[in-house]
Amino acid sequence: MTLTQERPVLSVRGLSVRFLMPGGRRIAAVTDAHFDVAAGECLALIGESGCGKSVLASALLGLLPANAQAAGEARLGELNLLAADERTLARTVRGRMVGLVPQSPAAHLTPVRTIRSQLEETVGALTDARERTAVRAAAEAAAERAAFPTDHLGLHPHELSGGLAQRAATALALVGDAPLLLADEPTTGLDRDLVDHTVDELRRHVDDGRRALLVITHDLAAAERIADRVAVMYAGRIIELTDAKRFFGTPGPRHPYSRGLLQALPDRAFTPVPGMPPELGDLPDGCAFAPRCDRVTDACAVRPPTIDGVACHQPHVPERLRA
Amino acid sequence: MLELHDITAGYDSRTPVVRNVTLTVAPGEAVGLLGPSGCGKSTLARVTALLHRPDSGTLLLDGEPVRRWRHRAPRAHRTVLGVVFQQPRLAADPRLRLTDLIAEPLRATGRRDEIPHSVGELAAAVGLTPDLLDRRPHEVSDGQLQRACLARALVLRPRWLICDEMTAMLDASTTAALVAAVENYRAASGAGLLAVGHDQLLLDRWCDRTLHWDDLAVGAKTKPDQPTR
Ligand code: SF4
């Protein structure tokens, strides 16, 4: 079962995000998301670009643009991240409670400063280390934890390969020893070897049982390698939330969209899900996947409730449960 | 044939990122070129696409040597090559509606009369719906914009296609859809393909044969975990 004995580090209940556009248009970027992530566990949030997964991550970090409205709850300890003010988010949440491993480390790192100086600054901001040698030691320790070679600390971001820039960014995320690590597309554009390396390193940071890891990715191979559970997003909703081994192995996913997504992989059928996702400003009343679904029936004109982690009227039934 | 002979190229002639590379693509053939990021394979793609002049070596297009690159490349050479890059946002003029983006090469070559027919046909082939064609790049997703960039690359019906990390930023379903669109075009036109990428699973599934960068680039040291300087 997916129930964890411990209290989850992050507990999301009914999280929704609406963007208010000029002309009164409303974009339903995230709708009614529910999930938990526990210490020592990795949840991968997967889906195609524009499905709402990055917006969800921004909501957790309090980084939504001004025209966004978030509703629901995202509890991290005693704090509801969605209700926290900017001061709280800046002083106690980002870096201290949530460590962000960014999508594009090149853009996240400051170009004109060495990795060492950025790490030391973060150490100074997020930890009690004040004395010069202590700050230096803490920065080097963070670099080591992220497998960033300490003899490269004097380099600037543009002098680093993609893999090393990713590690530098990961080192920054680890400095504050936050209970939740949030990795937003950590493997985009990396070679497969580096993808494997990066996710294995991220995984190591949760395996000590002290942190929870939420990975947002469109890279299904990376998700399979790192996650204990997966949540599939489609058109702003989590349409399937299940155990990663069952999802990627047998019996496989149950939602028709999840199945289609896996079948698109080059080591599976390599066939796309037909059509494209709907506009988030113009979602149908019923199942948003209906125009692309090969199992659609009249029932699908009504939005399917989520039962056993699957939001579908006709989910695939695991073989052994069939009569 | 698309032939690269002993190509050396880069941005500083003392430290070329491409060294003595030779490879050929036969008509109708799909060749994958696999290498880690930063190894120089994108520079080789740019040489092949006439966008970067090599320091030395020969590029033959259907037997004819290429002597000029970039804006000085003759139209007859440019129009037989279709190119798709990794980052559609960098490759698309943000002011153009998708329909104009796709039609751009037709306009540039004085074939305006073909625009209505070709754009409609290609939009369908890459899976773009009519409502999307009216939008500008910031109003569509990366995947939708990349579909438009692929349509633009195909609009002159090129004999050679160069896809440089075309799907690196995209999800599995959009990747499969774009590769299928390329392959449908190639099946109908007999075009050859050079697909440059870092994902071996993808290239092996997509291409007739996959070349490894380290086997091609004699003497070039490419270790992804070394700093690039
Ligand atoms: S609810 Fe209906 S349309 Fe939606 S995924 Fe399930 S079967 Fe398909």
Side-chain angles (χ1 to χ4, degrees), chain A residues 121-244:
Chain A
E121 182 193 60
T122 309
V123 167
L126 297 182
T127 72
D128 299 329
R130 285 293 165 271
E131 211 224 317
R132 192 126 179 77
T133 48
V135 169
R136 195 176 168 93
E140 287 180 3
E144 245 158 60
R145 269 185 287 158
F148 185 93
T150 38
D151 58 342
H152 285 33
L153 280 170
L155 298 183
H156 291 83
H158 72 270
E159 296 174 295
L160 301 176
S161 66
L164 283 186
Q166 185 64 59
R167 288 185 202 166
T170 305
L172 283 171
L174 292 173
V175 166
D177 209 15
L180 176 67
L181 276 183
L182 199 163
D184 185 8
E185 300 280 6
T187 61
T188 298
L190 299 185
D191 318 318
R192 185 51 54 195
D193 288 357
L194 268 177
V195 167
D196 290 352
H197 217 89
T198 302
V199 300
D200 290 354
E201 281 170 10
L202 279 173
R203 179 74 227 188
R204 215 161 36 79
H205 301 307
V206 292
D207 278 341
D208 62 13
R210 289 168 45 227
R211 296 184 193 84
L213 173 60
L214 178 61
V215 174
I216 311 241
T217 186
H218 70 266
D219 182 341
L220 299 175
E224 176 171 10
R225 196 170 173 103
I226 197 170
D228 299 298
R229 290 184 299 139
V230 286
V232 186
M233 275 190 95
Y234 185 77
R237 286 179 186 270
I238 293 177
I239 50 104
E240 182 160 9
L241 176 59
T242 187
D243 177 77

Side-chain angles (χ1 to χ4, degrees), chain A residues 255-256 287 289-290 293 295-296 300 304 312-314:
Chain A
H255 194 284
C287 175
F289 189 59
C293 183
R295 292 169 78 91
V296 60
C300 307
C312 172
H313 290 295
Q314 281 89 227

Side-chain angles (χ1 to χ4, degrees), chain A residues 47-50 103 149 152 155 158-164 167 187-192 194-195 197 218 220 257 260-261 264-277 279 292, chain B residues 35-37 41 86 126-129 131-132 135 139 141-144 147 165 167-177 179-180 198-202 205-206 223-229:
Chain A
E48 44 203 306
S49 69
Q103 165 161 19
H152 285 33
L155 298 183
H158 72 270
E159 296 174 295
L160 301 176
S161 66
L164 283 186
R167 288 185 202 166
T187 61
T188 298
L190 299 185
D191 318 318
R192 185 51 54 195
L194 268 177
V195 167
H197 217 89
H218 70 266
L220 299 175
Y257 171 67
L261 204 54
L265 287 171
D267 52 344
R268 301 203 186 200
F270 204 29
T271 48
V273 181
M276 278 190 288
E279 297 291 325
R292 305 173 76 183
Chain B
S37 58
K41 63 191 194 299
Q86 174 174 354
V126 299
L128 285 176
T129 47
D131 58 311
L132 291 172
R135 303 211 193 149
E139 297 167 309
S141 69
D142 284 355
Q144 289 163 342
R147 287 172 195 257
E165 296 276 18
T167 61
M169 318 284 287
L170 305 177
D171 62 274
S173 180
T174 309
T175 296
V179 168
H198 65 265
D199 185 342
Q200 176 148 20
L201 264 177
L202 173 67
R205 181 71 186 254
W206 182 1
K223 290 257 164 48
D225 278 342
Q226 305 280 308
T228 53
R229 77 170 178 195

